[in-house]
Amino acid sequence: MSIEIWLTYLATVFVFMVTPGPSHLLMLSNSMTHGFKRSLATAAGDLTANALQMAAAGLGLAAILVASQHALTVVKWLGVAYLLWMGLRMWRQASHASSKAGAAPSASVKALCGQGFLTSAANPKAVVFFAALFPQFIEPDQLFWPQFLILSVTYLLVDVMFLSSYGIGASWIASRLKKRASAMVHRIGSVFLIGAALMLGLKTLRDTA
């Protein structure tokens, strides 16, 4: 793969990442309520789902998903409901955030990772996206899989950078609010989660219209 093609792809991914998606809003929420270090588990779950979606695209499964629009819609609405449920639950827990410890009970790393994975996996159409994006930058006279690996790793690294930036920023804001405003931290986090659910829901409505 030539450096010119790679740089063009890199710029394309950056443009795509500028507008935060549901996974980024989830990262904001978890970093604000559980701290940046613990929220890295959320990023790990998101990246794992992305890697599997890329692999599915590379193996030619995109055509299967395109043919199964009903399955796509069901999975996507389940993802919307999951995010909405988490956001509403966090809002209800806000009144308990000023407990003796001054913070909410920390979610397990496994739970945070699962949230990241499910939020990303709730958009199975990402497989179609990767299947449509990658061929634009693959040179037909070169081996397919090395190029596909470069494109996949580049995407994941850029995603890590954006997720980390959002997470660090949210954690910094939460630390400035201090313990006395922990309920506010939880309400802000719940707004991010509900916002992520609304984003997925609107996207689903547009796709099925």
Side-chain angles (χ1 to χ4, degrees), residues 58-89:
L59 294 172
L61 296 181
I64 297 176
L65 289 177
V66 170
S68 183
Q69 290 297 329
H70 179 68
L72 278 174
T73 302
V74 170
V75 173
K76 288 160 74 173
W77 280 116
L78 286 175
V80 170
Y82 176 70
L83 285 176
L84 186 60
W85 173 74
M86 287 197 303
L88 293 175
R89 185 181 65 169

mmCIF file of all heavy atoms in Angstrom, residues 58-89:
data_model
loop_
_atom_site.group_PDB
_atom_site.id
_atom_site.type_symbol
_atom_site.label_atom_id
_atom_site.label_comp_id
_atom_site.label_asym_id
_atom_site.label_seq_id
_atom_site.Cartn_x
_atom_site.Cartn_y
_atom_site.Cartn_z
ATOM 1 N N GLY A 58 -14.197 -8.527 5.995
ATOM 2 C CA GLY A 58 -13.129 -9.119 5.207
ATOM 3 C C GLY A 58 -13.451 -10.519 4.728
ATOM 4 O O GLY A 58 -12.984 -10.957 3.679
ATOM 5 N N LEU A 59 -14.244 -11.226 5.477
ATOM 6 C CA LEU A 59 -14.610 -12.599 5.114
ATOM 7 C C LEU A 59 -15.842 -12.658 4.215
ATOM 8 O O LEU A 59 -16.335 -13.720 3.892
ATOM 9 C CB LEU A 59 -14.851 -13.425 6.382
ATOM 10 C CG LEU A 59 -13.609 -13.661 7.247
ATOM 11 C CD1 LEU A 59 -13.992 -14.318 8.569
ATOM 12 C CD2 LEU A 59 -12.600 -14.534 6.501
ATOM 13 N N GLY A 60 -16.349 -11.491 3.848
ATOM 14 C CA GLY A 60 -17.468 -11.447 2.913
ATOM 15 C C GLY A 60 -18.829 -11.667 3.533
ATOM 16 O O GLY A 60 -19.783 -12.018 2.833
ATOM 17 N N LEU A 61 -18.957 -11.409 4.858
ATOM 18 C CA LEU A 61 -20.248 -11.621 5.497
ATOM 19 C C LEU A 61 -21.184 -10.434 5.340
ATOM 20 O O LEU A 61 -22.346 -10.493 5.735
ATOM 21 C CB LEU A 61 -20.050 -11.903 6.995
ATOM 22 C CG LEU A 61 -19.290 -13.191 7.315
ATOM 23 C CD1 LEU A 61 -19.191 -13.367 8.819
ATOM 24 C CD2 LEU A 61 -19.971 -14.396 6.692
ATOM 25 N N ALA A 62 -20.681 -9.343 4.786
ATOM 26 C CA ALA A 62 -21.517 -8.154 4.629
ATOM 27 C C ALA A 62 -22.764 -8.458 3.807
ATOM 28 O O ALA A 62 -23.855 -7.973 4.103
ATOM 29 C CB ALA A 62 -20.712 -7.037 3.968
ATOM 30 N N ALA A 63 -22.589 -9.269 2.777
ATOM 31 C CA ALA A 63 -23.724 -9.597 1.911
ATOM 32 C C ALA A 63 -24.826 -10.316 2.690
ATOM 33 O O ALA A 63 -26.016 -10.104 2.448
ATOM 34 C CB ALA A 63 -23.262 -10.463 0.749
ATOM 35 N N ILE A 64 -24.425 -11.145 3.646
ATOM 36 C CA ILE A 64 -25.415 -11.869 4.452
ATOM 37 C C ILE A 64 -26.217 -10.886 5.303
ATOM 38 O O ILE A 64 -27.445 -10.989 5.415
ATOM 39 C CB ILE A 64 -24.718 -12.909 5.353
ATOM 40 C CG1 ILE A 64 -24.009 -13.960 4.475
ATOM 41 C CG2 ILE A 64 -25.714 -13.565 6.299
ATOM 42 C CD1 ILE A 64 -23.222 -14.968 5.279
ATOM 43 N N LEU A 65 -25.516 -9.912 5.913
ATOM 44 C CA LEU A 65 -26.195 -8.945 6.760
ATOM 45 C C LEU A 65 -27.115 -8.044 5.942
ATOM 46 O O LEU A 65 -28.203 -7.679 6.384
ATOM 47 C CB LEU A 65 -25.170 -8.109 7.526
ATOM 48 C CG LEU A 65 -24.419 -8.835 8.636
ATOM 49 C CD1 LEU A 65 -23.388 -7.919 9.266
ATOM 50 C CD2 LEU A 65 -25.378 -9.339 9.698
ATOM 51 N N VAL A 66 -26.658 -7.662 4.753
ATOM 52 C CA VAL A 66 -27.487 -6.820 3.897
ATOM 53 C C VAL A 66 -28.784 -7.548 3.549
ATOM 54 O O VAL A 66 -29.860 -6.951 3.475
ATOM 55 C CB VAL A 66 -26.720 -6.441 2.610
ATOM 56 C CG1 VAL A 66 -27.663 -5.779 1.609
ATOM 57 C CG2 VAL A 66 -25.585 -5.492 2.943
ATOM 58 N N ALA A 67 -28.695 -8.868 3.333
ATOM 59 C CA ALA A 67 -29.874 -9.642 2.953
ATOM 60 C C ALA A 67 -30.816 -9.862 4.133
ATOM 61 O O ALA A 67 -31.955 -10.259 3.954
ATOM 62 C CB ALA A 67 -29.439 -10.987 2.372
ATOM 63 N N SER A 68 -30.330 -9.607 5.347
ATOM 64 C CA SER A 68 -31.142 -9.854 6.538
ATOM 65 C C SER A 68 -31.475 -8.540 7.222
ATOM 66 O O SER A 68 -31.040 -8.269 8.334
ATOM 67 C CB SER A 68 -30.397 -10.792 7.496
ATOM 68 O OG SER A 68 -31.188 -11.088 8.617
ATOM 69 N N GLN A 69 -32.250 -7.690 6.556
ATOM 70 C CA GLN A 69 -32.582 -6.379 7.096
ATOM 71 C C GLN A 69 -33.394 -6.484 8.391
ATOM 72 O O GLN A 69 -33.235 -5.665 9.303
ATOM 73 C CB GLN A 69 -33.380 -5.589 6.047
ATOM 74 C CG GLN A 69 -32.563 -5.150 4.846
ATOM 75 C CD GLN A 69 -31.453 -4.181 5.216
ATOM 76 O OE1 GLN A 69 -31.591 -3.408 6.155
ATOM 77 N NE2 GLN A 69 -30.349 -4.240 4.511
ATOM 78 N N HIS A 70 -34.254 -7.481 8.499
ATOM 79 C CA HIS A 70 -35.060 -7.631 9.710
ATOM 80 C C HIS A 70 -34.165 -7.901 10.915
ATOM 81 O O HIS A 70 -34.360 -7.314 11.992
ATOM 82 C CB HIS A 70 -36.057 -8.770 9.537
ATOM 83 C CG HIS A 70 -36.913 -9.006 10.744
ATOM 84 N ND1 HIS A 70 -37.875 -8.091 11.169
ATOM 85 C CD2 HIS A 70 -36.935 -10.032 11.647
ATOM 86 C CE1 HIS A 70 -38.454 -8.555 12.270
ATOM 87 N NE2 HIS A 70 -37.909 -9.724 12.567
ATOM 88 N N ALA A 71 -33.175 -8.779 10.737
ATOM 89 C CA ALA A 71 -32.256 -9.079 11.833
ATOM 90 C C ALA A 71 -31.468 -7.838 12.227
ATOM 91 O O ALA A 71 -31.243 -7.571 13.412
ATOM 92 C CB ALA A 71 -31.305 -10.207 11.427
ATOM 93 N N LEU A 72 -31.041 -7.058 11.240
ATOM 94 C CA LEU A 72 -30.322 -5.823 11.522
ATOM 95 C C LEU A 72 -31.171 -4.887 12.382
ATOM 96 O O LEU A 72 -30.706 -4.344 13.381
ATOM 97 C CB LEU A 72 -29.974 -5.111 10.205
ATOM 98 C CG LEU A 72 -28.747 -5.575 9.428
ATOM 99 C CD1 LEU A 72 -28.672 -4.841 8.102
ATOM 100 C CD2 LEU A 72 -27.487 -5.351 10.230
ATOM 101 N N THR A 73 -32.418 -4.725 12.012
ATOM 102 C CA THR A 73 -33.302 -3.804 12.723
ATOM 103 C C THR A 73 -33.539 -4.248 14.158
ATOM 104 O O THR A 73 -33.511 -3.428 15.092
ATOM 105 C CB THR A 73 -34.650 -3.687 11.980
ATOM 106 O OG1 THR A 73 -34.414 -3.233 10.643
ATOM 107 C CG2 THR A 73 -35.569 -2.706 12.688
ATOM 108 N N VAL A 74 -33.744 -5.541 14.360
ATOM 109 C CA VAL A 74 -33.990 -6.069 15.705
ATOM 110 C C VAL A 74 -32.788 -5.822 16.605
ATOM 111 O O VAL A 74 -32.916 -5.322 17.738
ATOM 112 C CB VAL A 74 -34.317 -7.570 15.647
ATOM 113 C CG1 VAL A 74 -34.318 -8.167 17.057
ATOM 114 C CG2 VAL A 74 -35.665 -7.798 14.980
ATOM 115 N N VAL A 75 -31.593 -6.134 16.114
ATOM 116 C CA VAL A 75 -30.383 -5.969 16.912
ATOM 117 C C VAL A 75 -30.155 -4.494 17.251
ATOM 118 O O VAL A 75 -29.787 -4.139 18.375
ATOM 119 C CB VAL A 75 -29.157 -6.539 16.160
ATOM 120 C CG1 VAL A 75 -27.865 -6.214 16.901
ATOM 121 C CG2 VAL A 75 -29.298 -8.055 16.012
ATOM 122 N N LYS A 76 -30.390 -3.632 16.281
ATOM 123 C CA LYS A 76 -30.172 -2.212 16.508
ATOM 124 C C LYS A 76 -31.137 -1.648 17.548
ATOM 125 O O LYS A 76 -30.734 -0.856 18.415
ATOM 126 C CB LYS A 76 -30.297 -1.458 15.182
ATOM 127 C CG LYS A 76 -29.109 -1.703 14.258
ATOM 128 C CD LYS A 76 -29.418 -1.390 12.821
ATOM 129 C CE LYS A 76 -29.480 0.078 12.558
ATOM 130 N NZ LYS A 76 -29.623 0.385 11.104
ATOM 131 N N TRP A 77 -32.410 -2.065 17.507
ATOM 132 C CA TRP A 77 -33.361 -1.573 18.508
ATOM 133 C C TRP A 77 -33.060 -2.128 19.890
ATOM 134 O O TRP A 77 -33.306 -1.470 20.912
ATOM 135 C CB TRP A 77 -34.787 -1.893 18.089
ATOM 136 C CG TRP A 77 -35.336 -0.931 17.076
ATOM 137 C CD1 TRP A 77 -35.717 -1.195 15.796
ATOM 138 C CD2 TRP A 77 -35.545 0.472 17.252
ATOM 139 N NE1 TRP A 77 -36.147 -0.054 15.160
ATOM 140 C CE2 TRP A 77 -36.056 0.988 16.032
ATOM 141 C CE3 TRP A 77 -35.351 1.359 18.326
ATOM 142 C CZ2 TRP A 77 -36.359 2.342 15.863
ATOM 143 C CZ3 TRP A 77 -35.656 2.705 18.151
ATOM 144 C CH2 TRP A 77 -36.156 3.178 16.943
ATOM 145 N N LEU A 78 -32.524 -3.338 19.957
ATOM 146 C CA LEU A 78 -32.088 -3.877 21.251
ATOM 147 C C LEU A 78 -30.969 -3.020 21.828
ATOM 148 O O LEU A 78 -30.910 -2.773 23.039
ATOM 149 C CB LEU A 78 -31.615 -5.326 21.083
ATOM 150 C CG LEU A 78 -32.714 -6.368 20.866
ATOM 151 C CD1 LEU A 78 -32.101 -7.735 20.589
ATOM 152 C CD2 LEU A 78 -33.648 -6.445 22.079
ATOM 153 N N GLY A 79 -30.065 -2.577 20.967
ATOM 154 C CA GLY A 79 -28.988 -1.701 21.414
ATOM 155 C C GLY A 79 -29.520 -0.374 21.917
ATOM 156 O O GLY A 79 -29.040 0.159 22.936
ATOM 157 N N VAL A 80 -30.507 0.185 21.231
ATOM 158 C CA VAL A 80 -31.132 1.436 21.666
ATOM 159 C C VAL A 80 -31.750 1.264 23.049
ATOM 160 O O VAL A 80 -31.558 2.094 23.953
ATOM 161 C CB VAL A 80 -32.205 1.886 20.650
ATOM 162 C CG1 VAL A 80 -33.014 3.050 21.214
ATOM 163 C CG2 VAL A 80 -31.559 2.277 19.329
ATOM 164 N N ALA A 81 -32.500 0.188 23.219
ATOM 165 C CA ALA A 81 -33.164 -0.067 24.502
ATOM 166 C C ALA A 81 -32.142 -0.248 25.622
ATOM 167 O O ALA A 81 -32.340 0.238 26.746
ATOM 168 C CB ALA A 81 -34.049 -1.312 24.386
ATOM 169 N N TYR A 82 -31.033 -0.911 25.334
ATOM 170 C CA TYR A 82 -29.999 -1.160 26.340
ATOM 171 C C TYR A 82 -29.391 0.154 26.816
ATOM 172 O O TYR A 82 -29.249 0.394 28.024
ATOM 173 C CB TYR A 82 -28.923 -2.075 25.740
ATOM 174 C CG TYR A 82 -27.750 -2.323 26.653
ATOM 175 C CD1 TYR A 82 -27.883 -3.104 27.795
ATOM 176 C CD2 TYR A 82 -26.495 -1.783 26.361
ATOM 177 C CE1 TYR A 82 -26.806 -3.337 28.634
ATOM 178 C CE2 TYR A 82 -25.418 -2.015 27.184
ATOM 179 C CZ TYR A 82 -25.573 -2.788 28.316
ATOM 180 O OH TYR A 82 -24.503 -3.008 29.143
ATOM 181 N N LEU A 83 -29.023 1.021 25.876
ATOM 182 C CA LEU A 83 -28.432 2.304 26.245
ATOM 183 C C LEU A 83 -29.426 3.181 27.006
ATOM 184 O O LEU A 83 -29.069 3.841 27.993
ATOM 185 C CB LEU A 83 -27.952 3.040 24.991
ATOM 186 C CG LEU A 83 -26.674 2.524 24.330
ATOM 187 C CD1 LEU A 83 -26.409 3.296 23.056
ATOM 188 C CD2 LEU A 83 -25.494 2.626 25.270
ATOM 189 N N LEU A 84 -30.671 3.183 26.563
ATOM 190 C CA LEU A 84 -31.694 3.982 27.228
ATOM 191 C C LEU A 84 -31.916 3.498 28.654
ATOM 192 O O LEU A 84 -32.027 4.298 29.596
ATOM 193 C CB LEU A 84 -32.997 3.919 26.430
ATOM 194 C CG LEU A 84 -34.137 4.820 26.913
ATOM 195 C CD1 LEU A 84 -33.712 6.282 26.871
ATOM 196 C CD2 LEU A 84 -35.379 4.604 26.052
ATOM 197 N N TRP A 85 -31.952 2.193 28.835
ATOM 198 C CA TRP A 85 -32.128 1.619 30.170
ATOM 199 C C TRP A 85 -30.976 2.013 31.089
ATOM 200 O O TRP A 85 -31.187 2.415 32.240
ATOM 201 C CB TRP A 85 -32.223 0.097 30.064
ATOM 202 C CG TRP A 85 -32.233 -0.588 31.402
ATOM 203 C CD1 TRP A 85 -33.263 -0.638 32.296
ATOM 204 C CD2 TRP A 85 -31.155 -1.301 32.011
ATOM 205 N NE1 TRP A 85 -32.895 -1.348 33.423
ATOM 206 C CE2 TRP A 85 -31.620 -1.769 33.268
ATOM 207 C CE3 TRP A 85 -29.858 -1.607 31.608
ATOM 208 C CZ2 TRP A 85 -30.810 -2.499 34.125
ATOM 209 C CZ3 TRP A 85 -29.051 -2.351 32.467
ATOM 210 C CH2 TRP A 85 -29.526 -2.789 33.711
ATOM 211 N N MET A 86 -29.722 1.937 30.579
ATOM 212 C CA MET A 86 -28.571 2.312 31.401
ATOM 213 C C MET A 86 -28.631 3.790 31.777
ATOM 214 O O MET A 86 -28.315 4.176 32.905
ATOM 215 C CB MET A 86 -27.268 2.018 30.664
ATOM 216 C CG MET A 86 -26.929 0.534 30.579
ATOM 217 S SD MET A 86 -25.191 0.279 30.142
ATOM 218 C CE MET A 86 -25.067 1.161 28.590
ATOM 219 N N GLY A 87 -29.021 4.647 30.818
ATOM 220 C CA GLY A 87 -29.092 6.075 31.097
ATOM 221 C C GLY A 87 -30.132 6.410 32.145
ATOM 222 O O GLY A 87 -29.884 7.198 33.066
ATOM 223 N N LEU A 88 -31.320 5.817 32.032
ATOM 224 C CA LEU A 88 -32.377 6.074 33.001
ATOM 225 C C LEU A 88 -32.013 5.534 34.378
ATOM 226 O O LEU A 88 -32.297 6.174 35.406
ATOM 227 C CB LEU A 88 -33.689 5.440 32.514
ATOM 228 C CG LEU A 88 -34.291 6.070 31.247
ATOM 229 C CD1 LEU A 88 -35.509 5.274 30.792
ATOM 230 C CD2 LEU A 88 -34.648 7.534 31.484
ATOM 231 N N ARG A 89 -31.364 4.381 34.408
ATOM 232 C CA ARG A 89 -30.952 3.818 35.702
ATOM 233 C C ARG A 89 -29.922 4.724 36.372
ATOM 234 O O ARG A 89 -29.978 4.960 37.588
ATOM 235 C CB ARG A 89 -30.366 2.419 35.504
ATOM 236 C CG ARG A 89 -30.019 1.730 36.823
ATOM 237 C CD ARG A 89 -29.427 0.363 36.612
ATOM 238 N NE ARG A 89 -28.137 0.420 35.941
ATOM 239 C CZ ARG A 89 -27.309 -0.621 35.828
ATOM 240 N NH1 ARG A 89 -27.674 -1.797 36.306
ATOM 241 N NH2 ARG A 89 -26.160 -0.499 35.201
#
